[in-house]
Amino acid sequence: MGEDKRRRSRVCAHFDAYVYIDGEKIPVSTQNISMKGALFDPEPRLAEGRECTIVFSLAKDIKVRLKGQIVRANDEGLAIDFESMDENAFFHLRNMVRYSADDADKIDEELQVPAFEPGRDGDDR
C-alpha cells in the first residue's frame, strides 16, 4: 500500500460496539482502534461511504457515542473514520486507546499535534 501516512497510532484492541445506521442497530467488534477511527470485523450489512453513529458501552451507565463515516467495507474488515464526538466521548476514547497501547504516553504526545493541516485532504488514517 505504500508509505503509512497515519498521524495517530492504531492499537490492537477488542471492544464490542453497535453501529446505528438507517434506524438499524448492528453489533460490531474492533480489530484495532485509534483516536481517529477503528477497524471492525467484517459486516456485510454496512457499505462504504455511509455516515453512521458508533456506540461503545463501557459500563451500564457509560456509553461512548461517535459520529463516523464508513471508509472501507470488505472481507478484511469495516473501517470507520471518526468525524465528531463530544468532550466526554473524547475522554473515554482516549482512555480506551491508552489502555490498549504499548506506550500510553505516545498517544498523549500525538494529541499535541493537530490531526489535520490546512490544505490537506483530511486523510488522517
Side-chain angles (χ1 to χ4, degrees), residues 61-101:
D61 59 341
I62 300 175
K63 296 196 184 319
V64 178
R65 281 181 171 51
L66 310 159
K67 297 288 185 184
Q69 172 96 14
I70 300 171
V71 294
R72 188 174 70 248
N74 58 32
D75 292 340
E76 293 178 20
L78 174 73
I80 299 180
D81 183 43
F82 300 150
E83 295 185 333
S84 67
M85 67 190 84
D86 65 21
E87 187 175 328
N88 192 44
F90 177 86
F91 171 79
H92 289 298
L93 177 62
R94 177 181 161 269
N95 285 340
M96 292 165 64
V97 174
R98 281 180 49 85
Y99 178 77
S100 303

Coordinates of all heavy atoms in Angstrom, one line a residue, residues 61-101:
D61 N -23.7 2.6 32.8 CA -24.0 4.0 32.6 C -23.0 4.8 31.8 O -23.0 6.0 31.9 CB -24.3 4.6 34.0 CG -23.1 4.5 34.9 OD1 -22.2 3.6 34.6 OD2 -23.0 5.2 35.9
I62 N -22.1 4.1 31.1 CA -21.0 4.8 30.4 C -21.1 4.3 28.9 O -20.7 3.2 28.6 CB -19.6 4.6 30.9 CG1 -19.5 5.1 32.3 CG2 -18.6 5.3 30.0 CD1 -18.2 4.8 33.0
K63 N -21.6 5.2 28.1 CA -21.6 5.0 26.6 C -20.8 6.0 25.9 O -20.9 7.2 26.2 CB -23.1 5.0 26.2 CG -23.9 3.9 26.8 CD -25.2 3.7 26.0 CE -26.1 2.7 26.7 NZ -25.6 1.5 27.2
V64 N -20.1 5.6 24.9 CA -19.2 6.5 24.1 C -19.9 6.5 22.7 O -19.9 5.5 22.0 CB -17.8 6.0 24.0 CG1 -17.0 6.9 23.1 CG2 -17.2 5.8 25.4
R65 N -20.4 7.7 22.3 CA -21.1 7.9 21.1 C -20.2 8.8 20.1 O -19.7 9.8 20.5 CB -22.4 8.7 21.2 CG -23.5 7.8 21.7 CD -24.8 8.7 21.8 NE -26.0 7.9 22.1 CZ -26.2 7.0 23.0 NH1 -25.3 6.7 23.8 NH2 -27.4 6.4 23.2
L66 N -20.0 8.2 18.9 CA -19.1 8.9 17.9 C -19.9 8.9 16.6 O -20.5 8.0 16.2 CB -17.8 8.1 17.7 CG -17.0 7.7 19.0 CD1 -16.1 6.6 18.7 CD2 -16.3 8.9 19.5
K67 N -19.7 10.0 15.9 CA -20.2 10.1 14.5 C -19.1 9.7 13.6 O -17.9 10.0 13.8 CB -20.7 11.5 14.2 CG -21.8 12.0 15.0 CD -23.1 11.4 14.6 CE -24.2 12.0 15.4 NZ -25.5 11.3 15.2
G68 N -19.4 8.9 12.6 CA -18.4 8.4 11.7 C -18.8 8.3 10.3 O -20.0 8.4 9.9
Q69 N -17.9 7.9 9.5 CA -18.1 7.6 8.0 C -17.4 6.3 7.7 O -16.3 6.1 8.1 CB -17.4 8.7 7.2 CG -17.4 8.5 5.7 CD -18.5 9.2 5.0 OE1 -19.2 10.0 5.6 NE2 -18.8 8.8 3.8
I70 N -18.1 5.4 7.1 CA -17.6 4.1 6.7 C -16.7 4.4 5.5 O -17.2 4.8 4.4 CB -18.7 3.1 6.3 CG1 -19.6 2.9 7.6 CG2 -18.1 1.8 5.9 CD1 -20.8 2.1 7.3
V71 N -15.4 4.2 5.6 CA -14.4 4.5 4.6 C -14.0 3.2 3.8 O -13.4 3.3 2.7 CB -13.2 5.2 5.1 CG1 -13.7 6.6 5.5 CG2 -12.5 4.5 6.2
R72 N -14.3 2.0 4.4 CA -14.0 0.8 3.7 C -14.8 -0.3 4.3 O -15.0 -0.4 5.5 CB -12.5 0.4 3.8 CG -12.1 -0.8 3.0 CD -10.6 -1.0 3.0 NE -10.1 -1.6 4.3 CZ -9.4 -0.9 5.2 NH1 -9.0 0.3 5.0 NH2 -9.0 -1.5 6.4
A73 N -15.4 -1.2 3.4 CA -16.2 -2.3 3.8 C -15.9 -3.4 2.9 O -16.3 -3.4 1.7 CB -17.6 -1.9 3.9
N74 N -15.1 -4.4 3.4 CA -14.8 -5.6 2.5 C -14.6 -6.8 3.4 O -14.9 -6.8 4.6 CB -13.6 -5.3 1.6 CG -12.3 -4.9 2.5 OD1 -12.1 -5.4 3.6 ND2 -11.5 -4.1 1.9
D75 N -14.1 -7.9 2.8 CA -13.9 -9.1 3.6 C -12.9 -9.0 4.7 O -12.8 -9.9 5.5 CB -13.5 -10.3 2.6 CG -14.7 -10.6 1.7 OD1 -15.8 -10.3 2.0 OD2 -14.4 -11.3 0.6
E76 N -12.0 -8.0 4.6 CA -10.9 -7.9 5.6 C -11.4 -7.1 6.8 O -10.9 -7.2 7.9 CB -9.7 -7.2 5.0 CG -9.0 -8.0 3.9 CD -7.9 -7.3 3.3 OE1 -7.4 -6.3 3.9 OE2 -7.5 -7.7 2.2
G77 N -12.4 -6.2 6.6 CA -12.9 -5.5 7.8 C -13.8 -4.3 7.4 O -13.9 -3.9 6.2
L78 N -14.3 -3.6 8.4 CA -15.1 -2.4 8.2 C -14.3 -1.3 8.9 O -14.1 -1.3 10.1 CB -16.4 -2.7 9.0 CG -17.4 -1.5 9.1 CD1 -18.0 -1.2 7.7 CD2 -18.4 -1.8 10.1
A79 N -13.9 -0.3 8.0 CA -13.1 0.8 8.6 C -14.0 2.0 8.7 O -14.7 2.4 7.7 CB -11.9 1.1 7.6
I80 N -14.0 2.6 9.9 CA -14.8 3.7 10.1 C -13.9 4.9 10.6 O -13.2 4.7 11.6 CB -16.0 3.5 11.1 CG1 -16.9 2.4 10.6 CG2 -16.7 4.8 11.5 CD1 -18.0 2.0 11.5
D81 N -14.1 6.0 9.9 CA -13.3 7.2 10.3 C -14.2 8.0 11.3 O -15.4 8.3 11.0 CB -13.1 8.0 9.0 CG -12.3 9.3 9.3 OD1 -11.3 9.2 10.1 OD2 -12.6 10.3 8.7
F82 N -13.7 8.3 12.5 CA -14.4 9.1 13.4 C -14.4 10.6 13.0 O -13.4 11.1 12.8 CB -13.8 9.0 14.8 CG -13.8 7.6 15.4 CD1 -12.8 7.2 16.3 CD2 -14.7 6.6 15.0 CE1 -12.7 5.9 16.8 CE2 -14.7 5.3 15.5 CZ -13.7 5.0 16.4
E83 N -15.6 11.1 12.8 CA -15.7 12.5 12.3 C -16.0 13.5 13.4 O -15.6 14.7 13.3 CB -16.7 12.6 11.2 CG -16.3 11.8 10.0 CD -17.2 12.0 8.8 OE1 -18.4 12.3 9.0 OE2 -16.7 11.8 7.7
S84 N -16.7 13.1 14.4 CA -17.0 14.0 15.5 C -17.4 13.3 16.8 O -17.9 12.1 16.7 CB -18.2 15.0 15.1 OG -19.4 14.3 15.0
M85 N -17.2 13.9 17.9 CA -17.5 13.4 19.2 C -17.6 14.5 20.2 O -16.9 15.5 20.0 CB -16.5 12.3 19.7 CG -15.1 12.9 19.9 SD -13.8 11.6 20.1 CE -13.4 11.3 18.4
D86 N -18.3 14.3 21.3 CA -18.3 15.4 22.3 C -17.1 15.1 23.3 O -16.3 14.2 23.1 CB -19.6 15.4 23.1 CG -19.9 14.2 23.9 OD1 -19.0 13.4 24.3 OD2 -21.1 13.9 24.3
E87 N -16.9 16.1 24.2 CA -15.7 16.0 25.1 C -15.7 14.8 25.9 O -14.7 14.2 26.2 CB -15.8 17.3 26.0 CG -14.5 17.4 26.8 CD -14.6 18.7 27.6 OE1 -15.1 19.7 27.1 OE2 -14.0 18.7 28.7
N88 N -16.9 14.3 26.4 CA -17.0 13.1 27.2 C -16.5 11.9 26.4 O -15.8 11.1 26.9 CB -18.4 13.0 27.7 CG -18.5 11.9 28.8 OD1 -17.7 11.9 29.7 ND2 -19.5 11.1 28.7
A89 N -17.0 11.8 25.2 CA -16.6 10.7 24.3 C -15.1 10.7 24.0 O -14.5 9.6 24.0 CB -17.4 10.7 23.0
F90 N -14.6 11.9 23.8 CA -13.1 12.0 23.6 C -12.3 11.5 24.8 O -11.4 10.7 24.6 CB -12.7 13.5 23.3 CG -11.3 13.7 23.1 CD1 -10.7 13.5 21.9 CD2 -10.5 14.0 24.2 CE1 -9.3 13.7 21.7 CE2 -9.1 14.2 24.1 CZ -8.5 14.1 22.8
F91 N -12.8 11.8 26.0 CA -12.1 11.4 27.2 C -12.1 9.9 27.3 O -11.0 9.3 27.5 CB -12.8 12.0 28.4 CG -12.4 11.5 29.7 CD1 -11.2 11.9 30.3 CD2 -13.1 10.5 30.4 CE1 -10.8 11.4 31.5 CE2 -12.7 10.0 31.6 CZ -11.5 10.4 32.2
H92 N -13.2 9.3 27.0 CA -13.3 7.8 27.1 C -12.6 7.1 26.0 O -11.9 6.1 26.2 CB -14.8 7.3 27.2 CG -15.5 7.7 28.5 ND1 -15.1 7.2 29.7 CD2 -16.5 8.5 28.7 CE1 -15.9 7.7 30.6 NE2 -16.8 8.5 30.1
L93 N -12.7 7.7 24.8 CA -11.9 7.1 23.7 C -10.4 7.1 23.9 O -9.7 6.2 23.7 CB -12.3 7.8 22.4 CG -11.5 7.3 21.1 CD1 -11.8 5.9 20.8 CD2 -11.9 8.2 19.9
R94 N -10.0 8.3 24.4 CA -8.5 8.4 24.8 C -8.1 7.3 25.8 O -7.1 6.7 25.6 CB -8.3 9.8 25.3 CG -6.9 10.0 25.8 CD -6.7 11.4 26.4 NE -5.5 11.5 27.2 CZ -5.5 11.3 28.5 NH1 -6.5 10.9 29.2 NH2 -4.3 11.3 29.1
N95 N -8.9 7.1 26.8 CA -8.6 6.1 27.8 C -8.6 4.7 27.2 O -7.8 3.8 27.5 CB -9.6 6.2 29.0 CG -9.2 7.3 29.9 OD1 -8.1 7.9 29.8 ND2 -10.2 7.8 30.6
M96 N -9.6 4.4 26.3 CA -9.6 3.1 25.6 C -8.4 2.9 24.8 O -7.8 1.8 24.9 CB -10.9 3.0 24.7 CG -12.2 3.1 25.4 SD -13.6 3.4 24.2 CE -13.5 2.0 23.1
V97 N -7.9 3.9 24.1 CA -6.7 3.7 23.2 C -5.5 3.6 24.1 O -4.6 2.8 23.9 CB -6.6 4.9 22.2 CG1 -5.3 4.8 21.4 CG2 -7.8 4.8 21.2
R98 N -5.4 4.5 25.1 CA -4.2 4.5 26.0 C -4.1 3.1 26.7 O -3.0 2.6 26.8 CB -4.3 5.6 27.0 CG -3.9 7.0 26.5 CD -4.0 8.0 27.6 NE -3.4 7.7 28.9 CZ -2.1 7.8 29.2 NH1 -1.3 8.4 28.3 NH2 -1.7 7.5 30.4
Y99 N -5.2 2.6 27.2 CA -5.2 1.4 28.0 C -4.7 0.2 27.1 O -4.0 -0.7 27.6 CB -6.6 1.1 28.5 CG -6.7 -0.2 29.2 CD1 -6.3 -0.3 30.5 CD2 -7.3 -1.3 28.6 CE1 -6.4 -1.5 31.2 CE2 -7.3 -2.6 29.3 CZ -6.9 -2.7 30.6 OH -7.0 -3.8 31.2
S100 N -5.0 0.3 25.8 CA -4.6 -0.8 24.9 C -3.3 -0.6 24.2 O -2.8 -1.6 23.6 CB -5.7 -0.9 23.8 OG -7.0 -1.1 24.3
A101 N -2.7 0.5 24.4 CA -1.4 0.8 23.7 C -0.2 0.3 24.5 O -0.2 0.2 25.7 CB -1.2 2.4 23.6

